Amino acid sequence: LARNQITVLQDAENLRELSQLTTLSVEGNSISSIPHHVEFIVYCVPSLHVLDGEAISMHARQEAVQRFSLPEQSRLRSELQEAQGVCAALKDDLQDTIMELKTAQDERDA
């Protein structure tokens, strides 16, 4: 399968149902710029033998399973939730700072 529109990880996950898919190319697609996209695709599509013109080794399959197995997904999900919490707190701090600056400017202008 080549000349496709596989651009995000979710697209690769949707390929899981194609149990006869043995060859895939994502070269030139935006998914190819995502870290660990090769491992993720190999994990999602175990029927693949060739990805981007390269044979998939047993070692590559083992790494893919290790990286994206359920325990690893849980760990990554926890890290993501923690990072989202930090981002939300930073956003709140930024909004508070903006309000303080506006108040100070209004007082100065009055």
Side-chain angles (χ1 to χ4, degrees):
L1 180 61
R3 299 177 202 252
N4 51 62
Q5 295 184 9
I6 300 170
T7 58
V8 295
L9 295 178
Q10 182 65 42
D11 295 337
E13 208 166 18
N14 292 337
L15 296 174
R16 186 180 307 271
E17 298 175 22
L18 301 177
S19 61
Q20 301 301 311
L21 183 62
T22 59
T23 302
L24 177 66
S25 175
V26 295
E27 290 178 325
N29 294 2
S30 58
I31 193 173
S32 62
S33 66
I34 298 173
H36 309 294
H37 75 281
V38 170
E39 292 94 340
F40 187 75
I41 292 170
V42 169
Y43 175 77
C44 289
V45 190
S47 60
L48 278 182
H49 296 281
V50 177
L51 178 60
D52 293 336
E54 299 286 327
I56 299 169
S57 69
M58 185 56 71
H59 178 71
R61 287 186 194 287
Q62 291 169 343
E63 284 185 0
V65 168
Q66 183 178 8
R67 176 173 295 279
F68 295 105
S69 65
L70 288 177
E72 182 67 6
Q73 286 181 31
S74 294
R75 184 188 69 75
L76 292 171
R77 201 171 284 117
S78 294
E79 283 183 18
L80 177 59
Q81 288 173 341
E82 184 178 323
Q84 287 172 330
V86 169
C87 288
L90 289 171
K91 183 179 177 183
D92 289 344
D93 288 349
L94 178 61
Q95 289 174 342
D96 290 346
T97 301
I98 290 171
M99 291 302 296
E100 289 173 12
L101 289 171
K102 285 181 180 179
T103 301
Q105 185 178 13
D106 289 347
E107 289 174 357
R108 190 188 70 206
D109 292 344

